[in-house]
Amino acid sequence: GVEGRNAAELFVKEANASGGIAGRSLRLEIRDFESDDAKVAPLTGELISSGIEVIVGYYTSSAALAALAAPGLAPGRAPGRTVIVSPSATSAGLDGKADALYRTIMSSRNDAAYRAAHMRSSGLARPLLIGTAGNEPYVATYAEPLREIAAPAAELRFRAVGDLDYARVAELAALGAYDSIIIVASPLDNGAVAQELALRGLSRPLSLSGWAGNDDLLTYGGSAVEGAVFVHQTDTGQEGASSLARRYEAAFGVAPGFGAIQTWDAFLLVRAAV
């Protein structure tokens, strides 16, 4: 979200400096629903009522689904003018819907198949799946196909890092029930859970979801995430992003992660559409 906000501010600043869109300046409104999905629909409804035409954001799949329940967007209501463009909501539960949501990132529908194929090629067959309870639609995009193609030894959920049932993980490890671990959570939580598993001697070959792909993973995971493998839709080192990367770093003092690059892509779509 922070990366997205930074990219949005930079895009609007540069766009307005070059004349806006068809001579009209852009006005950026920023809202923070504090990672509380219960606040998403009411806040989205307020934006729609205020006349906002395009909403860029909803960085988790659960938030994007919550937004679609807002007055003016919910199924059965007359469609309004407001549309949503999400840079990073990749749940398969959002695929193929006739709604007001557009995405500039592909679905994670096929990620689990890639993960399972990689595990098989590495001689791994019994993953333990650990997922955040705070973004269940995204976790389900990994969990449901894995049940069919990789048969997880167990599935555990956590809302906060300290809430994970580490005693159960230790019990499964003692039984030899799993030979690898898949974590589906935010970069910070991925790193923190991996650290805790390592401290408890419960580490195994580690797979992560695409959500994990920014520097917070390294900051909070350290050596515990060395060798971790994940599928990702965005190559932050791609040549096409190099100019943006230079300008972003000059403005904010850090290199852009996938959240910033995908947000920039979302604004390019918005500009073309407007």
Side-chain angles (χ1 to χ4, degrees):
V2 173
E3 287 188 10
R5 179 203 62 195
N6 290 348
E9 290 178 342
L10 182 62
F11 187 96
V12 169
K13 178 181 178 181
E14 290 187 358
N16 286 341
S18 62
I21 298 177
R24 297 179 64 187
S25 294
L26 302 178
R27 178 171 59 89
L28 179 65
E29 297 268 350
I30 298 175
R31 297 290 187 275
D32 179 10
F33 54 83
E34 301 171 341
S35 298
D36 183 351
D37 288 346
K39 297 180 180 179
V40 171
L43 187 150
T44 302
E46 291 173 11
L47 290 172
I48 294 169
S49 297
S50 72
I52 293 291
E53 295 185 350
V54 183
I55 304 175
V56 175
Y58 308 104
Y59 285 85
T60 65
S61 297
S62 62
L65 285 162
L68 291 173
L73 292 178
R77 296 178 181 270
R81 294 188 61 197
T82 306
V83 297
I84 295 171
V85 181
S86 175
S88 60
T90 64
S91 167
L94 293 163
D95 294 359
K97 306 292 186 182
D99 54 29
L101 177 72
Y102 297 82
R103 296 185 287 184
T104 50
I105 189 168
M106 73 180 80
S107 167
S108 290
R109 177 179 295 275
N110 293 320
D111 287 11
Y114 282 109
R115 298 302 318 112
H118 184 272
M119 284 188 294
R120 284 194 296 268
S121 70
S122 303
L124 305 172
R126 303 185 314 280
L128 168 64
L129 178 64
I130 298 173
T132 175
N135 193 5
E136 184 59 34
Y138 180 71
V139 176
T141 301
Y142 281 79
E144 291 172 5
L146 275 173
R147 292 171 194 142
E148 299 177 6
I149 59 182
E155 296 184 27
L156 302 176
R157 300 288 190 271
F158 68 94
R159 190 160 293 278
V161 171
D163 296 337
L164 180 61
D165 189 349
Y166 293 99
R168 177 60 176 155
V169 179
E171 179 184 349
L172 291 166
L175 294 171
Y178 66 92
D179 58 11
S180 58
I181 297 173
I182 300 175
I183 304 176
V184 184
S186 71
L188 188 158
D189 283 352
N190 265 285
V193 168
Q195 284 273 25
E196 189 64 29
L197 292 172
L199 288 171
R200 294 169 181 259
L202 301 173
S203 296
R204 297 291 187 278
L206 189 60
S207 295
L208 307 176
S209 69
W211 190 8
N214 78 16
D215 288 347
D216 280 349
L217 176 68
L218 307 179
T219 300
Y220 293 93
S223 60
V225 297
E226 285 292 337
V229 178
F230 57 92
V231 178
H232 209 287
Q233 292 92 333
T234 306
D235 176 3
T236 56
Q238 62 186 302
E239 184 178 348
S242 59
S243 176
L244 166 62
R246 288 193 297 271
R247 304 195 312 276
Y248 184 99
E249 189 161 5
F252 303 107
V254 294
F258 80 87
I261 292 172
Q262 290 296 147
T263 299
W264 195 268
D265 228 19
F267 271 88
L268 291 175
L269 174 64
V270 169
R271 182 170 67 185
V274 171

